[in-house]
Amino acid sequence: MEKKSRILIIGVTGNLGFHLAKASLHFSHPTFALFRDSAFSDPIKSQKLHSLSNSGATLLKGSLEDEASLIEAIKQVDVVVSAVSSEQVLAQKLLISAIKQAGCIKRFIPSEFGADPDKVQISNMAYNFYTQKAEIRRLVEAEGIPYTIISCNFFMSFLIPSLVQPDLETPPRDKATIFGYGDTKGVFVKESDVATFTISAVDDPRTLNKVVYLRPPGNVYSVNELIEIWESKIGKKLEKIYEPEEELLKKIKEIPYPENMKFIFLYSAFIKGDHTYFDIELSGGVDGTKLYPQLKYTTISEYLDTLL
């Protein structure tokens, strides 16, 4: 049996980072978690770190602003997975420099985990959300660091709890607003499932220097289809209000940043089709659900059952 890669997770106290560390431990990888001193003064972060430590993870003190601490941590592992927040994307530059200096990393997974910044057609209106991710990807390529990109599109916890109703917190029971024609499909994957697919890819030669796209069957739907699924669960038809694309663009202009980002993401996925307009293999990527058919994941229908 091949030796499992040692994995360092950056951003381990965040939602996805914590799931990545748990998945790494679940698959029996020696797992290392970078943490800041200040994390232990936050009750939620502290609890996560204690939980991971008790499960067998090695906690390493360091930060994205301290190159020496990064190099020291990186020299102990084979794989680095970054799950920093979108606000910290460019802070990965020092991490990339540390990876290059350490010279021992067999695979780096930068923090993308959304729609592919090289494929989205709205990057000019997304306040550098995608351009910064693309900048980091170009830097990784230029430095010749072996990488895998995970493109999971939307997390299940985003927009699905409201059934793609940006102004609601829970699914509608009476009426639903649909922007455009409602036929363009978006993709949603539960965070814990994103983590499972990610850790499955780290030692896989088929994912080396590739983008792994996640489009799991049962998780790729249009807004019209999502509403139909919900209607069948609640046993009731919703009143559907169709608003033209222009109305959504008007909202994006009128609502201040960052509150309008939810509408920009909605426009990207469900009007422009940024999750699904391209063929995965023809674009040079690989399909994560085809690579790992054995992996179980939560479908949208199953997730909606929890909201009844």
Side-chain angles (χ1 to χ4, degrees):
M1 187 175 165
E2 273 191 53
K3 198 176 169 190
K4 295 267 188 176
S5 283
R6 299 163 297 170
I7 299 177
L8 172 66
I9 314 283
I10 314 280
V12 78
T13 56
N15 190 20
L16 179 61
F18 185 60
H19 284 301
L20 284 162
K22 287 202 295 184
S24 178
L25 289 163
H26 174 76
F27 286 114
S28 305
H29 286 275
T31 303
F32 298 76
L34 196 76
F35 75 97
R36 290 169 175 269
D37 259 347
S38 58
F40 280 104
S41 58
D42 179 309
I44 294 169
K45 290 179 179 178
S46 178
Q47 186 182 6
K48 286 181 176 179
L49 290 169
H50 282 301
S51 166
L52 292 174
S53 179
N54 292 339
S55 300
T58 302
L59 304 185
L60 300 175
K61 193 161 74 169
S63 86
L64 286 174
E65 292 85 45
D66 180 354
E67 192 172 40
S69 73
L70 290 174
I71 293 170
E72 190 180 331
I74 289 163
K75 282 185 173 175
Q76 300 180 55
V77 300
D78 310 295
V79 171
V80 176
V81 182
S82 174
V84 299
S85 68
S86 56
E87 293 83 15
Q88 286 185 292
V89 164
L90 293 183
Q92 294 176 108
K93 287 182 177 181
L94 199 62
L95 175 62
I96 291 164
S97 170
I99 288 171
K100 186 75 174 172
Q101 288 179 65
C104 59
I105 293 305
K106 296 192 294 189
R107 199 77 64 96
F108 174 46
I109 291 87
S111 189
E112 286 201 16
F113 300 108
D116 185 343
D118 286 351
K119 296 284 192 289
V120 294
Q121 303 161 90
I122 53 90
S123 57
N124 62 325
M125 63 193 286
Y127 300 90
N128 293 322
F129 184 88
Y130 291 111
T131 53
Q132 290 182 355
K133 291 185 176 188
E135 184 181 338
I136 290 299
R137 198 192 288 191
R138 299 290 86 81
L139 183 57
V140 171
E141 292 167 345
E143 292 290 0
I145 294 167
Y147 67 87
T148 297
I149 305 292
I150 306 295
S151 179
C152 62
N153 299 298
F154 286 151
F155 291 146
M156 197 84 82
S157 60
F158 179 70
L159 289 176
I160 288 292
S162 69
L163 211 68
V164 197
Q165 304 298 299
D167 297 324
L168 298 181
E169 297 295 323
T170 55
R173 296 277 174 167
D174 301 306
K175 60 185 179 183
T177 300
I178 300 160
F179 293 102
Y181 297 105
D183 293 327
T184 306
K185 294 178 191 283
V187 183
F188 296 85
V189 189
K190 197 173 179 183
E191 287 91 325
S192 54
D193 297 329
V194 174
T196 303
F197 280 104
T198 302
I199 300 303
S200 299
V202 297
D203 284 336
D204 190 341
R206 298 172 297 177
T207 64
L208 178 62
N209 298 336
K210 293 279 188 182
V211 181
V212 178
Y213 295 96
L214 301 184
R215 291 182 190 169
N219 290 30
V220 185
Y221 288 118
S222 68
V223 177
N224 285 334
E225 289 170 331
L226 288 171
I227 289 171
E228 272 182 34
I229 294 167
W230 183 243
E231 287 174 332
S232 71
K233 290 182 184 299
I234 62 173
K236 178 185 176 183
K237 289 285 181 190
L238 299 180
E239 179 194 345
K240 296 170 192 69
I241 302 156
Y242 286 87
E243 291 199 2
E245 178 182 333
E246 295 73 34
E247 192 60 35
L248 179 55
L249 287 169
K250 190 176 160 202
K251 275 183 168 43
I252 289 167
K253 278 190 181 137
E254 289 173 353
I255 296 168
Y257 174 81
E259 285 75 25
N260 63 349
M261 284 302 290
K262 193 182 280 191
F263 292 90
I264 291 168
F265 291 136
L266 194 155
Y267 179 73
S268 167
F270 293 109
I271 301 288
K272 302 300 284 184
D274 283 341
H275 293 181
T276 53
Y277 77 86
F278 58 93
D279 180 275
I280 291 173
E281 278 84 12
L282 289 178
S283 72
V286 289
D287 186 329
T289 35
K290 287 181 183 173
L291 289 182
Y292 313 111
Q294 77 282 8
L295 294 182
K296 300 279 185 279
Y297 57 86
T298 300
T299 64
I300 284 175
S301 178
E302 289 165 346
Y303 188 85
L304 287 174
D305 285 338
T306 68
L307 304 177
L308 288 168

